Amino acid sequence: RDNEIQPDEIPLLAHADKLAIVVDGGLIAESGMRAAAVNFARQLISRFKSSTLPVHRMDVALLLTKLDQVLEAGSGAITYWEKQEEMLLTALREVSGEALALRTAARGLSDPEDGMNALMGWIVASPPEPVEDLPLIDVTASARLQRIRAPKTTP
């Protein structure tokens, strides 16, 4: 958000098979936060447009979470999301060629329409054809970062 990091700065991202742009449905449910949630997604998609990452080789999805909260917020929230979802999908398809819209809600014991099965199906589906011309990942910086974050253990 707010262009804090460029996708090109994440080495492992170039090797991803799947890419999900996640929109927080809790923000869509709040009328005062809807535009911000959509702007966060729009900014991220814009960053991918200007990056050198091979997004066109990835399976890409636009994922709305907390659909249950969006529906509980009333018809205005879902109507807003439906319009924005289409615009975000159009922008995402300019980057990737294809993009899928997914919506998930809190998983209920009796609700098969929570979107989780569709999400899991997308996640485990076969990835696009492997590409051999991707550069090797420089893990030096990532390894240093991991050492910084890993808690030290005492004997």
Side-chain angles (χ1 to χ4, degrees), residues 15-19 55-60 98 120-131 134:
H15 296 271
D17 294 327
K18 310 278 185 177
L19 174 67
V55 178
H56 63 282
R57 297 178 184 162
M58 300 175 191
D59 285 341
V60 180
E98 292 185 29
M120 291 303 296
W122 176 75
I123 290 171
V124 300
S126 296
E129 291 297 314
V131 178
L134 292 177

Side-chain angles (χ1 to χ4, degrees), residues 29 64-74 104-107 111:
L64 175 71
T65 64
K66 304 175 189 171
L67 177 61
D68 48 325
Q69 291 180 21
V70 175
L71 294 173
E72 288 171 9
T104 60
R107 188 158 231 178
D111 187 5

